[in-house]
Amino acid sequence: MPEMISSLAHRVARSRREPVAVQALRSTAAAVISYVVALRLSNEPSPLTAPLTALLVVQVTLYSTLTTSIRRVNSVVVGVLIAIGFSALVGLTWWSLGLLILASLAVGHLVRVDEFVPEVAISAMLVLGVTQVADTAWDRVLETVIGAVIGLLINLLVAPPLWVGPAGAAITDLARRMGRLLDHLGEEPLGPAKVEQAAARLHEARRLDNDIAQVDAALRQAEDSLRLNPRVREGLLFRLVLRTGLDTLEICAVVLRVACRTLTDLAKARPDRPLFDAATAAALRQVLRHTAVAVESFAQLITAQVTANAEEAEARLTAELAVARDHRDRLAELLRTTAHEEPAQWQFHGALLTEIDRVLDELGVDKRSQRLLEELDHHTRTHRPVRLRERLTGRRGRSRD
């Protein structure tokens, strides 16, 4: 798997967050050039619509710039057409202005311009408020097109960065927080406050949902930066590797939250006694410790196109999962012995073992390869994804040899 993306490893590793100053210069250049071009082509003495459009169009990624340009031009054209219709029928009055705004907002939702729905009403109001509606209307459309085209050209000439690095760092940080939670679960709560300690870990597990949402936002930005980017040949593979990796971590986070609930319920059921005897607690601590290392190794593996250490991460992940499963089997034996002495606790013990098994299974290399292949099957309509699937299958076979 790592060889499939090794040719792009160093380039992606050099990609970092774009400085604010560079983004400001790109936006300023797009606005000024748009204004100069609009002065020559438009009849308006101050064609400010063109630089305004350029500022809104120049986004962080090329893909978002293109999609934003299309939606903004669409919103302005729709607003202009609505204004022309209202001008011909009723002109500008307080009640026609209200109808204009209501109609523009409704039509904006119908034509799916997303965040530019207010722009439909703004364009309609500005055009309706002038005397020579027809001339001003088409000048506004022209200025909008100029701003959108210039903004797109600026992003083509000054290519935005790849955002795979920040997304990979976010995934790694998420794995570290999950690893810390696993280590905390291995600590035996003592004393009368052990129920409160177990509940605190449950809240810590719940906070992972917010962390996953933040990582998902960073990953969406990275996916956008890979689309239509001339510097990336295997953008589809990048997106699928990171997306399926985050999906796996999200599943593990959900299972960890359930495990925290199991331990909390067990603490409530044993308020005056330890959760486990010394040997069982030690075995559980070893399972969770090696699982924590496996989670972090998994994050390193799926971000290998950034860190360029995929072979090491895969070997470490495989080794840690093997050790964790050995300790899990030892833990199962100890819990089975405990079940004869305290059968009422077996429900909690069985649930805990099931949750540990689910996490270890999700982190497995074979499970990850299977999930990648399933995702690639959805993209086999073009020639490139077919090649990617063949390369992935070939790499998977070599790993087993």
Side-chain angles (χ1 to χ4, degrees):
M1 177 64 190
E3 284 83 356
M4 291 190 299
I5 47 180
S6 60
S7 61
L8 297 175
H10 297 295
R11 284 186 294 171
V12 179
R14 291 195 298 267
S15 298
R16 292 294 184 267
R17 179 176 292 272
E18 187 179 35
V20 175
V22 175
Q23 177 66 18
L25 289 176
R26 292 170 66 240
S27 299
T28 301
V32 172
I33 295 173
S34 299
Y35 183 76
V36 172
V37 174
L39 280 175
R40 296 180 176 274
L41 300 180
S42 175
N43 295 322
E44 288 291 310
S46 299
L48 294 177
T49 301
L52 173 63
T53 302
L55 286 174
L56 294 175
V57 163
V58 177
Q59 302 296 312
V60 178
T61 67
L62 179 61
Y63 177 78
S64 59
T65 296
L66 179 60
T67 55
T68 299
S69 302
I70 295 173
R71 291 197 303 272
R72 180 167 173 81
V73 171
N74 189 22
S75 66
V76 172
V77 172
V78 170
V80 167
L81 295 177
I82 294 174
I84 292 175
F86 268 77
S87 176
L89 295 176
V90 295
L92 179 59
T93 63
W94 66 269
W95 58 268
S96 66
L97 179 62
L99 289 177
L100 176 74
I101 295 174
L102 181 61
S104 299
L105 295 177
V107 173
H109 286 287
L110 291 176
V111 297
R112 300 179 181 276
V113 293
D114 298 334
E115 72 272 22
F116 291 116
V117 168
E119 179 68 19
V120 179
I122 293 172
S123 298
M125 286 189 297
L126 292 177
V127 172
L128 187 62
V130 300
T131 305
Q132 296 178 345
V133 175
D135 294 339
T136 303
W138 297 118
D139 284 337
R140 181 169 173 80
V141 172
L142 176 62
E143 294 167 19
T144 301
V145 173
I146 291 173
V149 171
I150 295 299
L152 183 60
L153 289 176
I154 288 294
N155 253 19
L156 288 173
L157 295 175
V158 186
L162 297 176
W163 289 77
V164 178
I171 291 175
T172 302
D173 290 340
L174 172 63
R176 290 197 187 103
R177 288 190 288 271
M178 294 173 65
R180 286 197 297 268
L181 175 60
L182 284 163
D183 287 333
H184 292 164
L185 291 180
E187 299 170 357
E188 174 73 17
L190 302 173
K194 69 177 183 178
V195 176
E196 287 77 7
Q197 295 176 24
R201 290 163 189 165
L202 177 58
H203 289 298
E204 183 181 352
R206 288 171 176 166
R207 285 195 294 271
L208 288 175
D209 291 340
N210 294 331
D211 297 333
I212 290 173
Q214 295 174 1
V215 176
D216 182 69
L219 183 52
R220 286 199 303 271
Q221 186 176 55
E223 290 171 338
D224 283 349
S225 71
L226 292 171
R227 293 189 176 98
L228 306 180
N229 197 312
R231 294 183 294 170
V232 179
R233 293 182 180 180
E234 307 288 6
L236 172 63
L237 182 59
F238 275 110
R239 298 200 305 270
L240 293 184
V241 167
L242 293 178
R243 176 57 63 184
T244 55
L246 179 59
D247 290 343
T248 297
L249 291 178
E250 185 174 4
I251 293 172
C252 292
V254 172
V255 178
L256 285 180
R257 186 168 70 244
V258 177
C260 290
R261 167 57 66 186
T262 300
L263 292 174
T264 302
D265 293 341
L266 183 60
K268 292 178 180 178
R270 302 170 63 90
D272 302 324
R273 292 174 294 171
L275 297 185
F276 307 100
D277 59 59
T280 304
L284 176 61
R285 187 161 50 251
Q286 288 297 321
V287 172
L288 296 178
R289 173 85 284 270
H290 289 285
T291 303
V293 177
V295 169
E296 296 181 16
S297 299
F298 179 84
Q300 294 174 4
L301 178 60
I302 64 176
T303 59
Q305 64 268 42
V306 180
T307 60
N309 63 349
E311 293 287 356
E312 178 184 350
E314 184 172 342
R316 186 184 184 193
L317 173 61
T318 302
E320 292 297 332
L321 288 176
V323 175
R325 289 190 175 98
D326 289 340
H327 285 291
R328 181 267 175 208
D329 294 339
R330 172 62 177 163
L331 175 63
E333 290 294 333
L334 293 171
L335 291 177
R336 187 176 297 110
T337 302
T338 305
H340 295 292
E341 302 171 359
E342 299 179 84
Q345 309 304 324
W346 176 245
Q347 179 181 0
F348 298 114
H349 296 166
L352 183 60
L353 286 174
T354 301
E355 289 143 13
I356 292 173
D357 288 341
R358 180 66 189 276
V359 172
L360 296 178
D361 179 64
E362 290 294 332
L363 295 175
V365 175
D366 288 341
K367 186 68 172 287
R368 170 175 171 268
S369 298
Q370 177 185 357
R371 184 166 288 147
L372 269 174
L373 288 173
E374 290 173 352
E375 290 298 323
L376 284 169
D377 283 338
H378 293 295
H379 299 81
T380 54
R381 297 181 182 274
T382 60
H383 185 59
R384 177 185 293 180
V386 172
R387 293 203 309 270
L388 288 178
R389 189 182 190 281
E390 292 173 350
R391 292 174 63 188
L392 179 59
T393 305
R395 167 59 186 163
R396 186 182 179 189
R398 290 194 300 272
S399 299
R400 292 180 174 179
D401 293 341

